[in-house]
mmCIF file with all atom_site columns, all heavy atoms in Angstrom:
data_model
loop_
_atom_site.group_PDB
_atom_site.id
_atom_site.type_symbol
_atom_site.label_atom_id
_atom_site.label_alt_id
_atom_site.label_comp_id
_atom_site.label_asym_id
_atom_site.label_entity_id
_atom_site.label_seq_id
_atom_site.pdbx_PDB_ins_code
_atom_site.Cartn_x
_atom_site.Cartn_y
_atom_site.Cartn_z
_atom_site.occupancy
_atom_site.B_iso_or_equiv
_atom_site.pdbx_formal_charge
_atom_site.auth_seq_id
_atom_site.auth_comp_id
_atom_site.auth_asym_id
_atom_site.auth_atom_id
_atom_site.pdbx_PDB_model_num
ATOM 1   N N   . ARG U 1 328 ? 12.258 3.546   13.174 1.00 92.00 ? 967  ARG U N   1
ATOM 2   C CA  . ARG U 1 328 ? 12.226 2.377   12.292 1.00 92.00 ? 967  ARG U CA  1
ATOM 3   C C   . ARG U 1 328 ? 11.592 1.228   13.071 1.00 92.00 ? 967  ARG U C   1
ATOM 4   O O   . ARG U 1 328 ? 12.022 0.917   14.184 1.00 92.00 ? 967  ARG U O   1
ATOM 5   C CB  . ARG U 1 328 ? 13.645 2.017   11.855 1.00 92.00 ? 967  ARG U CB  1
ATOM 6   C CG  . ARG U 1 328 ? 13.768 0.720   11.045 1.00 92.00 ? 967  ARG U CG  1
ATOM 7   C CD  . ARG U 1 328 ? 15.247 0.388   10.863 1.00 92.00 ? 967  ARG U CD  1
ATOM 8   N NE  . ARG U 1 328 ? 15.427 -0.946  10.299 1.00 92.00 ? 967  ARG U NE  1
ATOM 9   C CZ  . ARG U 1 328 ? 15.690 -1.211  9.044  1.00 92.00 ? 967  ARG U CZ  1
ATOM 10  N NH1 . ARG U 1 328 ? 15.826 -0.221  8.202  1.00 92.00 ? 967  ARG U NH1 1
ATOM 11  N NH2 . ARG U 1 328 ? 15.837 -2.439  8.612  1.00 92.00 ? 967  ARG U NH2 1
ATOM 12  N N   . MET U 1 350 ? 13.333 6.518   6.890  1.00 90.00 ? 989  MET U N   1
ATOM 13  C CA  . MET U 1 350 ? 14.776 6.630   6.719  1.00 90.00 ? 989  MET U CA  1
ATOM 14  C C   . MET U 1 350 ? 15.234 5.892   5.468  1.00 90.00 ? 989  MET U C   1
ATOM 15  O O   . MET U 1 350 ? 14.635 4.873   5.079  1.00 90.00 ? 989  MET U O   1
ATOM 16  C CB  . MET U 1 350 ? 15.497 6.052   7.947  1.00 90.00 ? 989  MET U CB  1
ATOM 17  C CG  . MET U 1 350 ? 15.166 6.723   9.261  1.00 90.00 ? 989  MET U CG  1
ATOM 18  S SD  . MET U 1 350 ? 16.007 5.931   10.660 1.00 90.00 ? 989  MET U SD  1
ATOM 19  C CE  . MET U 1 350 ? 17.728 6.240   10.237 1.00 90.00 ? 989  MET U CE  1
ATOM 20  N N   . LYS U 1 351 ? 16.288 6.401   4.841  1.00 88.00 ? 990  LYS U N   1
ATOM 21  C CA  . LYS U 1 351 ? 16.919 5.673   3.750  1.00 88.00 ? 990  LYS U CA  1
ATOM 22  C C   . LYS U 1 351 ? 17.695 4.508   4.348  1.00 88.00 ? 990  LYS U C   1
ATOM 23  O O   . LYS U 1 351 ? 18.415 4.666   5.331  1.00 88.00 ? 990  LYS U O   1
ATOM 24  C CB  . LYS U 1 351 ? 17.857 6.589   2.963  1.00 88.00 ? 990  LYS U CB  1
ATOM 25  C CG  . LYS U 1 351 ? 17.135 7.676   2.180  1.00 88.00 ? 990  LYS U CG  1
ATOM 26  C CD  . LYS U 1 351 ? 18.105 8.501   1.357  1.00 88.00 ? 990  LYS U CD  1
ATOM 27  C CE  . LYS U 1 351 ? 17.377 9.559   0.534  1.00 88.00 ? 990  LYS U CE  1
ATOM 28  N NZ  . LYS U 1 351 ? 18.304 10.380  -0.267 1.00 88.00 ? 990  LYS U NZ  1
ATOM 29  N N   . THR U 1 352 ? 17.525 3.341   3.766  1.00 88.00 ? 991  THR U N   1
ATOM 30  C CA  . THR U 1 352 ? 18.126 2.153   4.361  1.00 88.00 ? 991  THR U CA  1
ATOM 31  C C   . THR U 1 352 ? 18.594 1.194   3.279  1.00 88.00 ? 991  THR U C   1
ATOM 32  O O   . THR U 1 352 ? 18.033 1.144   2.182  1.00 88.00 ? 991  THR U O   1
ATOM 33  C CB  . THR U 1 352 ? 17.120 1.445   5.286  1.00 88.00 ? 991  THR U CB  1
ATOM 34  O OG1 . THR U 1 352 ? 17.715 0.261   5.808  1.00 88.00 ? 991  THR U OG1 1
ATOM 35  C CG2 . THR U 1 352 ? 15.831 1.102   4.555  1.00 88.00 ? 991  THR U CG2 1
ATOM 36  N N   . VAL U 1 353 ? 19.646 0.459   3.600  1.00 86.00 ? 992  VAL U N   1
ATOM 37  C CA  . VAL U 1 353 ? 20.123 -0.602  2.709  1.00 86.00 ? 992  VAL U CA  1
ATOM 38  C C   . VAL U 1 353 ? 19.495 -1.937  3.108  1.00 86.00 ? 992  VAL U C   1
ATOM 39  O O   . VAL U 1 353 ? 19.837 -2.973  2.548  1.00 86.00 ? 992  VAL U O   1
ATOM 40  C CB  . VAL U 1 353 ? 21.661 -0.713  2.764  1.00 86.00 ? 992  VAL U CB  1
ATOM 41  C CG1 . VAL U 1 353 ? 22.303 0.553   2.243  1.00 86.00 ? 992  VAL U CG1 1
ATOM 42  C CG2 . VAL U 1 353 ? 22.138 -1.027  4.175  1.00 86.00 ? 992  VAL U CG2 1
ATOM 43  N N   . MET U 1 354 ? 18.581 -1.881  4.076  1.00 87.00 ? 993  MET U N   1
ATOM 44  C CA  . MET U 1 354 ? 17.917 -3.095  4.554  1.00 87.00 ? 993  MET U CA  1
ATOM 45  C C   . MET U 1 354 ? 16.409 -2.931  4.409  1.00 87.00 ? 993  MET U C   1
ATOM 46  O O   . MET U 1 354 ? 15.682 -2.839  5.392  1.00 87.00 ? 993  MET U O   1
ATOM 47  C CB  . MET U 1 354 ? 18.292 -3.366  6.013  1.00 87.00 ? 993  MET U CB  1
ATOM 48  C CG  . MET U 1 354 ? 19.756 -3.708  6.204  1.00 87.00 ? 993  MET U CG  1
ATOM 49  S SD  . MET U 1 354 ? 20.217 -3.811  7.941  1.00 87.00 ? 993  MET U SD  1
ATOM 50  C CE  . MET U 1 354 ? 20.224 -2.071  8.368  1.00 87.00 ? 993  MET U CE  1
ATOM 51  N N   . VAL U 1 358 ? 14.849 -8.105  2.321  1.00 90.00 ? 997  VAL U N   1
ATOM 52  C CA  . VAL U 1 358 ? 16.266 -8.429  2.492  1.00 90.00 ? 997  VAL U CA  1
ATOM 53  C C   . VAL U 1 358 ? 16.409 -9.469  3.600  1.00 90.00 ? 997  VAL U C   1
ATOM 54  O O   . VAL U 1 358 ? 15.701 -9.426  4.608  1.00 90.00 ? 997  VAL U O   1
ATOM 55  C CB  . VAL U 1 358 ? 17.073 -7.158  2.815  1.00 90.00 ? 997  VAL U CB  1
ATOM 56  C CG1 . VAL U 1 358 ? 18.477 -7.496  3.259  1.00 90.00 ? 997  VAL U CG1 1
ATOM 57  C CG2 . VAL U 1 358 ? 17.117 -6.248  1.601  1.00 90.00 ? 997  VAL U CG2 1
ATOM 58  N N   . THR U 1 359 ? 17.319 -10.410 3.425  1.00 90.00 ? 998  THR U N   1
ATOM 59  C CA  . THR U 1 359 ? 17.589 -11.405 4.457  1.00 90.00 ? 998  THR U CA  1
ATOM 60  C C   . THR U 1 359 ? 18.848 -11.029 5.225  1.00 90.00 ? 998  THR U C   1
ATOM 61  O O   . THR U 1 359 ? 19.765 -10.403 4.680  1.00 90.00 ? 998  THR U O   1
ATOM 62  C CB  . THR U 1 359 ? 17.762 -12.806 3.842  1.00 90.00 ? 998  THR U CB  1
ATOM 63  O OG1 . THR U 1 359 ? 18.814 -12.753 2.868  1.00 90.00 ? 998  THR U OG1 1
ATOM 64  C CG2 . THR U 1 359 ? 16.474 -13.261 3.177  1.00 90.00 ? 998  THR U CG2 1
ATOM 65  N N   . ALA U 1 360 ? 18.862 -11.406 6.503  1.00 88.00 ? 999  ALA U N   1
ATOM 66  C CA  . ALA U 1 360 ? 20.009 -11.120 7.366  1.00 88.00 ? 999  ALA U CA  1
ATOM 67  C C   . ALA U 1 360 ? 20.389 -12.416 8.086  1.00 88.00 ? 999  ALA U C   1
ATOM 68  O O   . ALA U 1 360 ? 19.516 -13.228 8.425  1.00 88.00 ? 999  ALA U O   1
ATOM 69  C CB  . ALA U 1 360 ? 19.662 -10.025 8.371  1.00 88.00 ? 999  ALA U CB  1
ATOM 70  N N   . PRO U 1 361 ? 21.671 -12.607 8.329  1.00 91.00 ? 1000 PRO U N   1
ATOM 71  C CA  . PRO U 1 361 ? 22.085 -13.822 9.049  1.00 91.00 ? 1000 PRO U CA  1
ATOM 72  C C   . PRO U 1 361 ? 21.674 -13.754 10.515 1.00 91.00 ? 1000 PRO U C   1
ATOM 73  O O   . PRO U 1 361 ? 21.484 -12.676 11.081 1.00 91.00 ? 1000 PRO U O   1
ATOM 74  C CB  . PRO U 1 361 ? 23.603 -13.825 8.880  1.00 91.00 ? 1000 PRO U CB  1
ATOM 75  C CG  . PRO U 1 361 ? 23.961 -12.390 8.661  1.00 91.00 ? 1000 PRO U CG  1
ATOM 76  C CD  . PRO U 1 361 ? 22.809 -11.773 7.928  1.00 91.00 ? 1000 PRO U CD  1
ATOM 77  N N   . GLY U 1 364 ? 25.703 -12.810 14.546 1.00 90.00 ? 1003 GLY U N   1
ATOM 78  C CA  . GLY U 1 364 ? 26.280 -11.478 14.401 1.00 90.00 ? 1003 GLY U CA  1
ATOM 79  C C   . GLY U 1 364 ? 25.281 -10.352 14.458 1.00 90.00 ? 1003 GLY U C   1
ATOM 80  O O   . GLY U 1 364 ? 25.625 -9.196  14.209 1.00 90.00 ? 1003 GLY U O   1
ATOM 81  N N   . THR U 1 365 ? 24.010 -10.651 14.797 1.00 92.00 ? 1004 THR U N   1
ATOM 82  C CA  . THR U 1 365 ? 22.988 -9.609  14.900 1.00 92.00 ? 1004 THR U CA  1
ATOM 83  C C   . THR U 1 365 ? 22.269 -9.740  16.238 1.00 92.00 ? 1004 THR U C   1
ATOM 84  O O   . THR U 1 365 ? 22.131 -10.851 16.774 1.00 92.00 ? 1004 THR U O   1
ATOM 85  C CB  . THR U 1 365 ? 21.951 -9.714  13.771 1.00 92.00 ? 1004 THR U CB  1
ATOM 86  O OG1 . THR U 1 365 ? 21.275 -10.974 13.859 1.00 92.00 ? 1004 THR U OG1 1
ATOM 87  C CG2 . THR U 1 365 ? 22.613 -9.613  12.408 1.00 92.00 ? 1004 THR U CG2 1
ATOM 88  N N   . LEU U 1 382 ? 24.414 2.589   20.259 1.00 91.00 ? 1021 LEU U N   1
ATOM 89  C CA  . LEU U 1 382 ? 25.292 1.923   19.290 1.00 91.00 ? 1021 LEU U CA  1
ATOM 90  C C   . LEU U 1 382 ? 26.513 2.757   18.957 1.00 91.00 ? 1021 LEU U C   1
ATOM 91  O O   . LEU U 1 382 ? 27.478 2.241   18.395 1.00 91.00 ? 1021 LEU U O   1
ATOM 92  C CB  . LEU U 1 382 ? 24.502 1.603   18.017 1.00 91.00 ? 1021 LEU U CB  1
ATOM 93  C CG  . LEU U 1 382 ? 23.423 0.513   18.155 1.00 91.00 ? 1021 LEU U CG  1
ATOM 94  C CD1 . LEU U 1 382 ? 22.635 0.379   16.861 1.00 91.00 ? 1021 LEU U CD1 1
ATOM 95  C CD2 . LEU U 1 382 ? 24.047 -0.821  18.529 1.00 91.00 ? 1021 LEU U CD2 1
ATOM 96  N N   . VAL U 1 386 ? 28.802 -1.656  20.357 1.00 89.00 ? 1025 VAL U N   1
ATOM 97  C CA  . VAL U 1 386 ? 28.122 -2.494  19.362 1.00 89.00 ? 1025 VAL U CA  1
ATOM 98  C C   . VAL U 1 386 ? 28.454 -3.951  19.688 1.00 89.00 ? 1025 VAL U C   1
ATOM 99  O O   . VAL U 1 386 ? 29.454 -4.497  19.216 1.00 89.00 ? 1025 VAL U O   1
ATOM 100 C CB  . VAL U 1 386 ? 28.558 -2.143  17.921 1.00 89.00 ? 1025 VAL U CB  1
ATOM 101 C CG1 . VAL U 1 386 ? 27.733 -2.942  16.913 1.00 89.00 ? 1025 VAL U CG1 1
ATOM 102 C CG2 . VAL U 1 386 ? 28.411 -0.652  17.659 1.00 89.00 ? 1025 VAL U CG2 1
ATOM 103 N N   . PHE U 1 388 ? 27.139 -6.694  18.701 1.00 91.00 ? 1027 PHE U N   1
ATOM 104 C CA  . PHE U 1 388 ? 27.046 -7.610  17.558 1.00 91.00 ? 1027 PHE U CA  1
ATOM 105 C C   . PHE U 1 388 ? 27.556 -6.885  16.315 1.00 91.00 ? 1027 PHE U C   1
ATOM 106 O O   . PHE U 1 388 ? 27.089 -5.780  15.991 1.00 91.00 ? 1027 PHE U O   1
ATOM 107 C CB  . PHE U 1 388 ? 25.611 -8.074  17.367 1.00 91.00 ? 1027 PHE U CB  1
ATOM 108 C CG  . PHE U 1 388 ? 25.037 -8.757  18.583 1.00 91.00 ? 1027 PHE U CG  1
ATOM 109 C CD1 . PHE U 1 388 ? 24.270 -8.044  19.482 1.00 91.00 ? 1027 PHE U CD1 1
ATOM 110 C CD2 . PHE U 1 388 ? 25.301 -10.084 18.833 1.00 91.00 ? 1027 PHE U CD2 1
ATOM 111 C CE1 . PHE U 1 388 ? 23.753 -8.657  20.615 1.00 91.00 ? 1027 PHE U CE1 1
ATOM 112 C CE2 . PHE U 1 388 ? 24.785 -10.712 19.955 1.00 91.00 ? 1027 PHE U CE2 1
ATOM 113 C CZ  . PHE U 1 388 ? 24.015 -9.995  20.861 1.00 91.00 ? 1027 PHE U CZ  1
ATOM 114 N N   . ALA U 1 389 ? 28.480 -7.531  15.616 1.00 90.00 ? 1028 ALA U N   1
ATOM 115 C CA  . ALA U 1 389 ? 29.211 -6.862  14.535 1.00 90.00 ? 1028 ALA U CA  1
ATOM 116 C C   . ALA U 1 389 ? 28.287 -6.329  13.444 1.00 90.00 ? 1028 ALA U C   1
ATOM 117 O O   . ALA U 1 389 ? 28.465 -5.209  12.942 1.00 90.00 ? 1028 ALA U O   1
ATOM 118 C CB  . ALA U 1 389 ? 30.237 -7.828  13.932 1.00 90.00 ? 1028 ALA U CB  1
ATOM 119 N N   . LEU U 1 390 ? 27.270 -7.107  13.061 1.00 90.00 ? 1029 LEU U N   1
ATOM 120 C CA  . LEU U 1 390 ? 26.420 -6.696  11.944 1.00 90.00 ? 1029 LEU U CA  1
ATOM 121 C C   . LEU U 1 390 ? 25.448 -5.590  12.313 1.00 90.00 ? 1029 LEU U C   1
ATOM 122 O O   . LEU U 1 390 ? 24.804 -5.012  11.433 1.00 90.00 ? 1029 LEU U O   1
ATOM 123 C CB  . LEU U 1 390 ? 25.651 -7.909  11.395 1.00 90.00 ? 1029 LEU U CB  1
ATOM 124 C CG  . LEU U 1 390 ? 26.533 -8.998  10.766 1.00 90.00 ? 1029 LEU U CG  1
ATOM 125 C CD1 . LEU U 1 390 ? 25.686 -10.140 10.237 1.00 90.00 ? 1029 LEU U CD1 1
ATOM 126 C CD2 . LEU U 1 390 ? 27.389 -8.423  9.645  1.00 90.00 ? 1029 LEU U CD2 1
ATOM 127 N N   . ASP U 1 391 ? 25.330 -5.268  13.612 1.00 90.00 ? 1030 ASP U N   1
ATOM 128 C CA  . ASP U 1 391 ? 24.493 -4.127  14.014 1.00 90.00 ? 1030 ASP U CA  1
ATOM 129 C C   . ASP U 1 391 ? 25.141 -2.796  13.635 1.00 90.00 ? 1030 ASP U C   1
ATOM 130 O O   . ASP U 1 391 ? 24.515 -1.742  13.765 1.00 90.00 ? 1030 ASP U O   1
ATOM 131 C CB  . ASP U 1 391 ? 24.236 -4.154  15.520 1.00 90.00 ? 1030 ASP U CB  1
ATOM 132 C CG  . ASP U 1 391 ? 23.180 -5.198  15.892 1.00 90.00 ? 1030 ASP U CG  1
ATOM 133 O OD1 . ASP U 1 391 ? 22.653 -5.839  14.965 1.00 90.00 ? 1030 ASP U OD1 1
ATOM 134 O OD2 . ASP U 1 391 ? 22.901 -5.362  17.087 1.00 90.00 ? 1030 ASP U OD2 1
ATOM 135 N N   . ARG U 1 392 ? 26.386 -2.856  13.173 1.00 90.00 ? 1031 ARG U N   1
ATOM 136 C CA  . ARG U 1 392 ? 27.036 -1.616  12.730 1.00 90.00 ? 1031 ARG U CA  1
ATOM 137 C C   . ARG U 1 392 ? 26.295 -0.997  11.544 1.00 90.00 ? 1031 ARG U C   1
ATOM 138 O O   . ARG U 1 392 ? 26.360 0.219   11.339 1.00 90.00 ? 1031 ARG U O   1
ATOM 139 C CB  . ARG U 1 392 ? 28.491 -1.898  12.344 1.00 90.00 ? 1031 ARG U CB  1
ATOM 140 C CG  . ARG U 1 392 ? 29.385 -2.270  13.526 1.00 90.00 ? 1031 ARG U CG  1
ATOM 141 C CD  . ARG U 1 392 ? 30.864 -2.261  13.124 1.00 90.00 ? 1031 ARG U CD  1
ATOM 142 N NE  . ARG U 1 392 ? 31.711 -2.642  14.233 1.00 90.00 ? 1031 ARG U NE  1
ATOM 143 C CZ  . ARG U 1 392 ? 32.163 -3.871  14.431 1.00 90.00 ? 1031 ARG U CZ  1
ATOM 144 N NH1 . ARG U 1 392 ? 31.856 -4.834  13.576 1.00 90.00 ? 1031 ARG U NH1 1
ATOM 145 N NH2 . ARG U 1 392 ? 32.937 -4.147  15.465 1.00 90.00 ? 1031 ARG U NH2 1
ATOM 146 N N   . LYS U 1 393 ? 25.615 -1.837  10.751 1.00 90.00 ? 1032 LYS U N   1
ATOM 147 C CA  . LYS U 1 393 ? 24.841 -1.292  9.634  1.00 90.00 ? 1032 LYS U CA  1
ATOM 148 C C   . LYS U 1 393 ? 23.750 -0.365  10.142 1.00 90.00 ? 1032 LYS U C   1
ATOM 149 O O   . LYS U 1 393 ? 23.477 0.683   9.545  1.00 90.00 ? 1032 LYS U O   1
ATOM 150 C CB  . LYS U 1 393 ? 24.238 -2.423  8.807  1.00 90.00 ? 1032 LYS U CB  1
ATOM 151 C CG  . LYS U 1 393 ? 25.265 -3.226  8.011  1.00 90.00 ? 1032 LYS U CG  1
ATOM 152 C CD  . LYS U 1 393 ? 24.581 -4.229  7.096  1.00 90.00 ? 1032 LYS U CD  1
ATOM 153 C CE  . LYS U 1 393 ? 25.587 -4.971  6.237  1.00 90.00 ? 1032 LYS U CE  1
ATOM 154 N NZ  . LYS U 1 393 ? 24.929 -5.938  5.329  1.00 90.00 ? 1032 LYS U NZ  1
ATOM 155 N N   . LEU U 1 394 ? 23.119 -0.743  11.243 1.00 90.00 ? 1033 LEU U N   1
ATOM 156 C CA  . LEU U 1 394 ? 22.115 0.134   11.852 1.00 90.00 ? 1033 LEU U CA  1
ATOM 157 C C   . LEU U 1 394 ? 22.763 1.427   12.339 1.00 90.00 ? 1033 LEU U C   1
ATOM 158 O O   . LEU U 1 394 ? 22.227 2.523   12.129 1.00 90.00 ? 1033 LEU U O   1
ATOM 159 C CB  . LEU U 1 394 ? 21.431 -0.579  13.025 1.00 90.00 ? 1033 LEU U CB  1
ATOM 160 C CG  . LEU U 1 394 ? 20.550 -1.783  12.677 1.00 90.00 ? 1033 LEU U CG  1
ATOM 161 C CD1 . LEU U 1 394 ? 20.119 -2.498  13.945 1.00 90.00 ? 1033 LEU U CD1 1
ATOM 162 C CD2 . LEU U 1 394 ? 19.330 -1.336  11.892 1.00 90.00 ? 1033 LEU U CD2 1
ATOM 163 N N   . ARG U 1 395 ? 23.892 1.286   12.992 1.00 91.00 ? 1034 ARG U N   1
ATOM 164 C CA  . ARG U 1 395 ? 24.598 2.475   13.491 1.00 91.00 ? 1034 ARG U CA  1
ATOM 165 C C   . ARG U 1 395 ? 24.994 3.400   12.353 1.00 91.00 ? 1034 ARG U C   1
ATOM 166 O O   . ARG U 1 395 ? 24.830 4.624   12.453 1.00 91.00 ? 1034 ARG U O   1
ATOM 167 C CB  . ARG U 1 395 ? 25.837 2.042   14.274 1.00 91.00 ? 1034 ARG U CB  1
ATOM 168 C CG  . ARG U 1 395 ? 26.637 3.205   14.859 1.00 91.00 ? 1034 ARG U CG  1
ATOM 169 C CD  . ARG U 1 395 ? 28.018 2.751   15.242 1.00 91.00 ? 1034 ARG U CD  1
ATOM 170 N NE  . ARG U 1 395 ? 28.765 2.301   14.063 1.00 91.00 ? 1034 ARG U NE  1
ATOM 171 C CZ  . ARG U 1 395 ? 29.960 1.715   14.129 1.00 91.00 ? 1034 ARG U CZ  1
ATOM 172 N NH1 . ARG U 1 395 ? 30.519 1.466   15.302 1.00 91.00 ? 1034 ARG U NH1 1
ATOM 173 N NH2 . ARG U 1 395 ? 30.584 1.363   13.026 1.00 91.00 ? 1034 ARG U NH2 1
ATOM 174 N N   . ASP U 1 396 ? 25.472 2.830   11.249 1.00 91.00 ? 1035 ASP U N   1
ATOM 175 C CA  . ASP U 1 396 ? 25.899 3.643   10.112 1.00 91.00 ? 1035 ASP U CA  1
ATOM 176 C C   . ASP U 1 396 ? 24.731 4.390   9.477  1.00 91.00 ? 1035 ASP U C   1
ATOM 177 O O   . ASP U 1 396 ? 24.929 5.412   8.817  1.00 91.00 ? 1035 ASP U O   1
ATOM 178 C CB  . ASP U 1 396 ? 26.598 2.768   9.069  1.00 91.00 ? 1035 ASP U CB  1
ATOM 179 C CG  . ASP U 1 396 ? 27.893 2.164   9.598  1.00 91.00 ? 1035 ASP U CG  1
ATOM 180 O OD1 . ASP U 1 396 ? 28.414 2.678   10.605 1.00 91.00 ? 1035 ASP U OD1 1
ATOM 181 O OD2 . ASP U 1 396 ? 28.357 1.162   9.017  1.00 91.00 ? 1035 ASP U OD2 1
ATOM 182 N N   . GLU U 1 397 ? 23.518 3.878   9.643  1.00 91.00 ? 1036 GLU U N   1
ATOM 183 C CA  . GLU U 1 397 ? 22.338 4.553   9.096  1.00 91.00 ? 1036 GLU U CA  1
ATOM 184 C C   . GLU U 1 397 ? 21.755 5.581   10.066 1.00 91.00 ? 1036 GLU U C   1
ATOM 185 O O   . GLU U 1 397 ? 20.740 6.190   9.762  1.00 91.00 ? 1036 GLU U O   1
ATOM 186 C CB  . GLU U 1 397 ? 21.272 3.528   8.729  1.00 91.00 ? 1036 GLU U CB  1
ATOM 187 C CG  . GLU U 1 397 ? 21.664 2.676   7.530  1.00 91.00 ? 1036 GLU U CG  1
ATOM 188 C CD  . GLU U 1 397 ? 20.542 1.744   7.088  1.00 91.00 ? 1036 GLU U CD  1
ATOM 189 O OE1 . GLU U 1 397 ? 19.511 1.689   7.790  1.00 91.00 ? 1036 GLU U OE1 1
ATOM 190 O OE2 . GLU U 1 397 ? 20.692 1.095   6.041  1.00 91.00 ? 1036 GLU U OE2 1
ATOM 191 N N   . GLY U 1 398 ? 22.387 5.747   11.227 1.00 92.00 ? 1037 GLY U N   1
ATOM 192 C CA  . GLY U 1 398 ? 21.930 6.763   12.181 1.00 92.00 ? 1037 GLY U CA  1
ATOM 193 C C   . GLY U 1 398 ? 21.159 6.217   13.356 1.00 92.00 ? 1037 GLY U C   1
ATOM 194 O O   . GLY U 1 398 ? 20.724 6.983   14.226 1.00 92.00 ? 1037 GLY U O   1
ATOM 195 N N   . ILE U 1 399 ? 20.968 4.896   13.433 1.00 93.00 ? 1038 ILE U N   1
ATOM 196 C CA  . ILE U 1 399 ? 20.254 4.300   14.565 1.00 93.00 ? 1038 ILE U CA  1
ATOM 197 C C   . ILE U 1 399 ? 21.184 4.266   15.774 1.00 93.00 ? 1038 ILE U C   1
ATOM 198 O O   . ILE U 1 399 ? 22.330 3.834   15.683 1.00 93.00 ? 1038 ILE U O   1
ATOM 199 C CB  . ILE U 1 399 ? 19.768 2.875   14.214 1.00 93.00 ? 1038 ILE U CB  1
ATOM 200 C CG1 . ILE U 1 399 ? 18.768 2.924   13.053 1.00 93.00 ? 1038 ILE U CG1 1
ATOM 201 C CG2 . ILE U 1 399 ? 19.144 2.207   15.427 1.00 93.00 ? 1038 ILE U CG2 1
ATOM 202 C CD1 . ILE U 1 399 ? 17.505 3.694   13.353 1.00 93.00 ? 1038 ILE U CD1 1
ATOM 203 N N   . ASP U 1 419 ? 13.555 0.750   16.461 1.00 93.00 ? 1058 ASP U N   1
ATOM 204 C CA  . ASP U 1 419 ? 14.855 1.421   16.424 1.00 93.00 ? 1058 ASP U CA  1
ATOM 205 C C   . ASP U 1 419 ? 14.653 2.925   16.502 1.00 93.00 ? 1058 ASP U C   1
ATOM 206 O O   . ASP U 1 419 ? 13.686 3.463   15.947 1.00 93.00 ? 1058 ASP U O   1
ATOM 207 C CB  . ASP U 1 419 ? 15.597 1.079   15.125 1.00 93.00 ? 1058 ASP U CB  1
ATOM 208 C CG  . ASP U 1 419 ? 15.705 -0.424  14.907 1.00 93.00 ? 1058 ASP U CG  1
ATOM 209 O OD1 . ASP U 1 419 ? 15.801 -1.150  15.912 1.00 93.00 ? 1058 ASP U OD1 1
ATOM 210 O OD2 . ASP U 1 419 ? 15.677 -0.858  13.743 1.00 93.00 ? 1058 ASP U OD2 1
#
Side-chain angles (χ1 to χ4, degrees):
R967 174 188 170 101
M989 300 178 63
K990 292 183 178 180
T991 178
V992 296
M993 294 173 286
V997 169
T998 57
T1004 62
L1021 291 175
V1025 185
F1027 302 96
L1029 295 181
D1030 283 358
R1031 292 191 181 96
K1032 290 186 176 181
L1033 293 172
R1034 181 197 63 187
D1035 295 342
E1036 291 185 354
I1038 297 298
D1058 306 328

